[in-house]
Amino acid sequence: MRQKICKVIADEAVAALFEEVELTPKPGLVDLHNNGSHVDLNHSLMCESALSLHETFYNIALLHYGETPTTRLREQFGEIGRTGEQLMFTVTNDVNTHKGAIWSIGLICAAIARRKGNISFPQVLEDAAELAKLPDRMIPNQPTNGLNVKKKYGMPGAREEAQYGFPHIRKYSYPTYEKARFNHNTLEAKLLTLLALISNLNDTCLVHRGGLDALEFAKTEAENIMKNFSIEAVERLDREFQQSWISPGGSADLLATTFFISNWITKQQRRFSYGEVSVQVSSE
């Protein structure tokens, strides 16, 4: 049962990455229509990258199955994640496709495995934060775009988001998604969830590319579209993001994480039978 549950966790993690990339249209991000504000990314590459991470997510789940977080587990988690990054870079020819998602979704894999699949919201976020707060002495001292933004603007990034218990999932994306699924069709619900993240998150990917002006522009436009939603407005924002060459990559990572949590809880409530999940994602 342990291996079966951990395989399903990895299946669902990969499926959430597929669900995110196939959501169309998305402002500045790779989708089925275009490559967003990217010359080195495309839909096919994102899918290959997602599939390459299945073993990483499985190993994370296996490590944490039924275990309470410890510093040793945190360091082992980090080691598995960094190995996964190298596998990803091998598949993508050194293009960063899912580094942020390895962190956020990997933490949720660990949190689900800790409870042997029986999770609740927001406890799953609290469990993930408990692991994220522990030290990892093996973290390489390498500059990243997120760290550069943090140093320049004093703005927290993906690490702090997890350590704080994913407040933007807890307060914005998950509630928005659960409510919108009853009031809108699936596509609209998913787009509204993405807009909720863009309008509230201090997305370091946006800041890295366009500075604070780009961040404020993105937040304002996303909030306005949520108030008067239409697919055409999202498509317009996609064109504007591409013209400005900005991309809300941090929001995309949290969107996939939101899908992962929501899908798992939904299947859990329906007495989901472990081992029967498919990685196929609806393009609805």
Side-chain angles (χ1 to χ4, degrees), residues 149 153 155 202 206-208 210-218:
V149 168
Y153 298 102
M155 187 176 293
N202 287 333
L206 281 170
V207 177
H208 169 70
L212 296 180
D213 288 343
L215 178 66
E216 289 307 310
F217 167 76

Side-chain angles (χ1 to χ4, degrees), residues 56-68:
T56 298
F57 295 139
Y58 175 77
N59 288 336
I60 287 173
L62 205 61
L63 173 68
H64 292 272
Y65 188 84
E67 298 288 341
T68 301

Side-chain angles (χ1 to χ4, degrees), residues 99-167:
K99 185 173 181 178
I102 292 173
W103 168 246
S104 59
I105 288 185
L107 286 167
I108 300 301
C109 286
I112 295 174
R114 172 184 178 176
R115 303 288 176 177
K116 301 181 181 180
N118 299 310
I119 64 169
S120 61
F121 186 88
Q123 184 184 51
V124 64
L125 302 180
E126 296 165 2
D127 287 349
E130 187 177 349
L131 178 63
K133 290 175 182 176
L134 292 171
D136 179 358
R137 294 168 298 175
M138 303 299 114
I139 294 178
N141 185 19
Q142 296 176 342
T144 64
N145 293 338
L147 288 175
N148 290 337
V149 168
K150 181 180 179 180
K151 182 177 180 179
K152 184 174 181 179
Y153 298 102
M155 187 176 293
R159 182 181 299 180
E160 291 79 13
E161 174 74 17
Q163 291 173 338
Y164 298 158
F166 292 100

Side-chain angles (χ1 to χ4, degrees), residues 63 70-77 134-135:
L63 173 68
T70 64
T71 298
R72 177 172 173 76
L73 281 178
R74 171 66 183 89
E75 292 183 342
Q76 290 175 308
F77 170 88
L134 292 171

Side-chain angles (χ1 to χ4, degrees), residues 255-275:
L255 181 67
T257 308
T258 302
F259 290 158
F260 182 25
I261 296 168
S262 178
N263 292 343
W264 189 274
I265 291 177
T266 298
K267 286 179 169 62
Q268 179 180 282
Q269 291 170 341
R270 294 176 180 174
R271 298 186 181 278
F272 169 66
S273 177
Y274 294 113

